[in-house]
Amino acid sequence: MKRERSEIMEAVTMLVSSILAAKMTLSLGLGFTLILHTLILPTNCSFASTDYTATNPNPANGETIAPEHLDDNVYMLLDYTPAADWLMHMAYFSDDIQDVIDRDPSYCLGSVPPWPAIDPDAFVVGYDDPGIPEFARAPLIAGRTYYWCIDAFDWAGPGRPDVWMGDIWNFTVMPKEAWGPSPEDDAHDVLAAPNLTFCWSLGDVDTEGYDVSYDVYYGTVFADVSTSTTPNANEPNTTHTTAGPLVPGIEYYWRIDTVLRLSISPFTSSTVIGDIWSFWVQSNTSWHVDAVGGDDLNNGLSHGTAFKTIQKGVDTAEDGNIVLVWPGVYVEQIFFYGKAITVKNADYPAVIEAPWQDAVSFIAGEGPGSVLSNFVIRQSMTAIACNNESSPTLKNLTIIDNDFGIAAYEASDPDITNCILWNNEYGDLFGCEARYSCVETASAGNGNISIYPMFADFGGDYHLLSDFGRYVPAYGLWAFDDETSPCIDAGDPAEDPSGERMPNGGRINMGAYAGTPYASMSEWPLAHDKNKDGRTDFKDLASLCDEWLMELPWAAPPGTPPVDRTPPEPDPATWDIEPYATSLTSILMAATAATDDNGVEYYFENMTIGGHTSGWQDPANWTDSSLASSTEYCYRIKTRDKSPNANESGWSTTLCTMTSSGGR
């Protein structure tokens, strides 16, 4: 039977007092941790066993929102859906998240909404009203982020209130100036080729009776952008696209002024001067090619918008760019046309075929900055032809079943390393030498061998046999052979082999799969190199000290707790909140809270572009930022426990989403 509000206030007050006495931790979801100030709750309190938290916050969590204005009041109603069947709700509010996490009574809005005639559940902040706690009456400040929560209370019996601690929500008060910049302020590695689109949002200004436009300022000198009165452009909408690419590797500054012009005579104008934002242009632009799902009418900026042909990627790229080629068979001729670009695998190495033609040609004096890496080239007239003093870098290639392998004419001198040239009918090399390569027709050159490379299947599977593990592409599994190819651990010893799976022998392989996760494996040569960094040093000694006197279960004395060998549950990891765009350049996601007696860490990975991971972290949520707008990104997650074994779960399913577009 429910008690009246007044009947449980004494028990609730006692509970809140207990909360402020010592420490305990409760999960708030989305990675927040609430520090409750009591190690052992008093016996006259209980926590509900079912999730009955308040939901559907308004303003929505993370929203930037225009406040209400009345006289000098700048205020907001904090509305929500009450928890089911709960008798009372207690609200907390502050611009410091720690105040809300701690449930500091100085920032408690109480349990009685001040304007029940307007909204029986909503609390009010930023309004000078005696019914509102004094700390919450000050006008809300434009551009500031505020935090709030709703805790639910019920009655579990005489003297025993149930309490369910609510999630912590936040909102940002919309400023008068243009806001929500894309690229985000201080963003790095912004893609600005073939052009860049600036996006922003209209600020909290009264537009009734006005025509709105935006003066756009940008440049590489802060003082010029901050003081200029001559805009680069005036736009009627909240986007602007540059006429061409911006300079790679340079910091740019930009500003958006909001221009309000009366729609009727006298047509006077006023301007809201915007903030100065900055971003760094990506130094090395990447273009994507996918023979299976691509289209040469796409923009090539991501795997989801990839070109179809390698030549289209080369034609679009500029010096310093990378053309990433996704798995597939590419039947085409490729010309570098003098560009200092890298054409390489995006994932599993692709195949290039050009029947009766030269597959890849360097005919414009290309230098070492023109790089071709990690391909199988087969069934062509000449796999690679170099003319006109070209000296490209050719590495990690399997060149097989062609009329001819690599031919160099007219003083060309390609740098050829870590390659396998085999079964090319009229020869492997002409006018050039290779290094650390397997060449069927014996060739001069440091580190070369002329021994059968031991392919898994000469008819099409060019992975190298290995008794430590060979990838089988037909099944996505690893097999163990009775023999090991001489091309394993035979590449250039100066090259970093860390791209290959461990154990990898500490030296890069030869052939198309060299330096990739699909390279055949071998035994690590330094038995005491614990961290596999290629040297035995004090770091390895420290690792030994960390494990000193640790025991396996069968060696432990009777009664010793067993070693944790089980990954967190669920295994594999699963999604709680699927990735979704929170702005033009950011995506938020959350894993299902995993459980393990030793504690849990979470790892989020952006599979679309490199360098975007959360690293191992305690929160179960992550926001990936500094992304391109209107672009698809794909993610996966895994977990591990905090035991000495660091047992990892399997990867979750891969989910994809788009960042927001630039329109309002």
Side-chain angles (χ1 to χ4, degrees):
M1 178 177 179
K2 298 288 184 183
R3 302 294 182 93
E4 295 299 323
R5 184 188 309 269
S6 59
E7 295 183 67
I8 68 167
M9 283 304 298
E10 181 180 354
V12 170
T13 302
M14 180 167 53
L15 171 62
V16 173
S17 298
S18 300
I19 286 175
L20 298 172
K23 289 192 174 179
M24 125 175 234
T25 300
L26 287 180
S27 170
L28 286 180
L30 282 182
F32 285 108
T33 299
L34 168 64
I35 307 300
L36 296 185
H37 298 266
T38 179
L39 182 60
I40 302 176
L41 287 174
T43 57
N44 61 344
C45 304
S46 66
F47 282 89
S49 59
T50 306
D51 188 349
Y52 291 119
T53 53
T55 57
N56 301 321
N58 183 15
N61 188 32
E63 182 178 7
T64 297
I65 188 169
E68 300 292 336
H69 297 266
L70 182 62
D71 298 329
D72 293 331
N73 298 291
V74 182
Y75 67 99
M76 189 79 66
L77 271 69
L78 305 182
D79 207 353
Y80 58 95
T81 299
D85 298 326
W86 288 76
L87 184 61
M88 188 184 75
H89 295 83
M90 188 84 74
Y92 295 84
F93 170 80
S94 176
D95 61 358
D96 185 341
I97 190 174
Q98 196 62 47
D99 296 335
V100 181
I101 290 175
D102 290 344
R103 275 27 179 204
D104 189 328
S106 300
Y107 298 93
C108 180
L109 294 173
S111 61
V112 181
W115 299 348
I118 296 176
D119 191 315
D121 298 311
F123 293 88
V124 182
V125 293
Y127 198 97
D128 189 8
D129 184 319
I132 299 171
E134 187 172 354
F135 82 91
R137 298 178 193 172
L140 300 180
I141 298 174
R144 181 166 295 183
T145 299
Y146 294 90
Y147 304 88
W148 61 296
C149 71
I150 302 291
D151 293 345
F153 293 84
D154 198 2
W155 197 259
R160 297 183 59 200
D162 272 345
V163 57
W164 196 275
M165 317 306 289
D167 292 340
I168 295 179
W169 301 313
N170 72 82
F171 66 90
T172 299
V173 179
M174 185 181 296
K176 293 183 179 298
E177 300 82 9
W179 61 278
S182 176
E184 291 182 343
D185 189 27
D186 199 32
H188 286 64
D189 293 326
V190 173
L191 182 64
N195 49 43
L196 174 66
T197 297
F198 296 104
C199 305
W200 60 91
S201 296
L202 173 65
D204 182 24
V205 293
D206 184 4
T207 60
E208 185 174 357
Y210 291 91
D211 295 325
V212 181
S213 65
Y214 304 91
D215 285 340
V216 181
Y217 301 84
Y218 63 92
T220 59
V221 179
F222 177 87
D224 292 347
V225 175
S226 62
T227 61
S228 176
T229 57
T230 304
N232 298 76
N234 179 267
E235 295 286 358
N237 299 310
T238 56
T239 63
H240 170 72
T241 300
T242 62
L246 303 184
V247 180
I250 297 297
E251 185 176 21
Y252 277 79
Y253 303 91
W254 63 298
R255 177 182 115 219
I256 302 296
D257 291 352
T258 305
V259 181
L260 302 171
R261 181 176 180 270
L262 277 173
S263 302
I264 59 175
S265 180
F267 304 108
T268 54
S269 297
S270 61
T271 300
V272 180
I273 306 298
D275 295 328
I276 306 295
W277 301 310
S278 70
F279 62 91
W280 287 87
V281 178
Q282 187 181 69
S283 298
N284 221 11
T285 302
S286 299
W287 305 96
H288 293 257
V289 179
D290 186 354
V292 178
D295 189 322
D296 281 352
L297 297 178
N298 288 339
N299 61 24
L301 297 178
S302 68
H303 188 194
T305 59
F307 300 130
K308 187 175 186 64
T309 62
I310 299 174
Q311 190 60 56
K312 176 64 174 179
V314 172
D315 292 344
T316 307
E318 299 180 352
D319 286 354
N321 290 182
I322 300 174
V323 178
L324 295 171
V325 182
W326 291 87
V329 177
Y330 295 79
V331 182
E332 58 176 300
Q333 281 186 284
I334 301 162
F335 295 87
F336 268 63
Y337 291 131
K339 294 184 176 182
I341 60 176
T342 296
V343 179
K344 60 172 292 187
N345 64 308
D347 185 46
Y348 188 82
V351 176
I352 301 173
E353 298 178 354
W356 310 107
Q357 297 172 317
D358 296 341
V360 184
S361 296
F362 299 90
I363 60 174
E366 290 86 354
S370 299
V371 181
L372 182 70
S373 175
N374 295 101
F375 288 93
V376 173
I377 307 177
R378 68 186 186 191
Q379 299 176 16
S380 304
M381 186 170 68
T382 301
I384 301 174
C386 301
N387 298 81
N388 296 322
E389 301 182 359
S390 297
S391 55
T393 299
L394 310 175
K395 57 190 292 188
N396 308 344
L397 304 171
T398 296
I399 298 174
I400 187 169
D401 290 337
N402 303 284
D403 289 347
F404 205 88
I406 303 174
Y409 306 96
E410 301 165 344
S412 295
D413 185 23
D415 181 15
I416 306 166
T417 56
N418 309 332
C419 294
I420 298 175
L421 297 98
W422 208 265
N423 205 42
N424 299 298
E425 185 172 1
Y426 300 114
D428 297 314
L429 298 171
F430 179 82
C432 54
E433 292 184 355
R435 299 181 296 111
Y436 298 102
S437 296
C438 180
V439 185
E440 183 176 12
T441 53
S443 170
N446 191 25
N448 290 341
I449 60 175
S450 298
I451 308 171
Y452 176 61
M454 294 188 184
F455 295 127
D457 180 358
F458 206 93
D461 183 353
Y462 305 113
H463 288 273
L464 304 173
L465 296 181
S466 171
D467 58 358
F468 271 83
R470 165 181 56 85
Y471 185 70
V472 183
Y475 300 99
L477 302 173
W478 290 79
F480 299 90
D481 303 303
D482 295 331
E483 300 178 278
T484 293
S485 166
C487 297
I488 294 176
D489 300 338
D492 187 347
E495 289 208 28
D496 182 7
S498 60
E500 300 180 1
R501 287 177 180 265
M502 294 297 292
N504 60 33
R507 182 170 170 177
I508 198 168
N509 292 352
M510 295 175 176
Y513 309 102
T516 77
Y518 306 100
S520 296
M521 295 187 285
S522 58
E523 185 175 11
W524 188 255
L526 300 176
H528 301 292
D529 179 14
K530 297 278 289 183
N531 60 1
K532 302 298 188 291
D533 64 355
R535 62 175 60 88
T536 303
D537 55 16
F538 280 108
K539 293 180 181 178
D540 304 298
L541 182 59
S543 177
L544 174 63
C545 293
D546 288 341
E547 295 182 355
W548 188 250
L549 296 181
M550 292 180 65
E551 300 169 319
L552 296 176
W554 54 266
T560 302
V563 176
D564 184 359
R565 301 184 184 279
T566 305
E569 291 291 338
D571 180 22
T574 59
W575 293 95
D576 178 29
I577 297 178
E578 297 184 0
Y580 71 94
T582 56
S583 73
L584 297 170
T585 57
S586 61
I587 292 174
L588 181 142
M589 65 210 73
T592 300
T595 58
D596 191 277
D597 291 342
N598 289 296
V600 178
E601 295 178 314
Y602 301 83
Y603 189 95
F604 296 79
E605 180 180 41
N606 182 327
M607 300 178 66
T608 305
I609 55 175
H612 283 242
T613 71
S614 65
W616 287 108
Q617 62 173 40
D618 288 337
N621 67 294
W622 179 56
T623 298
D624 192 8
S625 58
S626 299
L627 303 173
S629 62
S630 302
T631 303
E632 182 182 66
Y633 295 94
C634 298
Y635 297 90
R636 62 180 182 174
I637 50 177
K638 63 180 177 179
T639 62
R640 73 179 182 187
D641 62 30
K642 295 183 178 181
S643 72
N645 285 343
N647 302 295
E648 292 187 11
S649 73
W651 286 106
S652 69
T653 56
T654 298
L655 297 180
C656 303
T657 192
M658 297 278 293
T659 47
S660 302
S661 62
R664 289 185 57 190

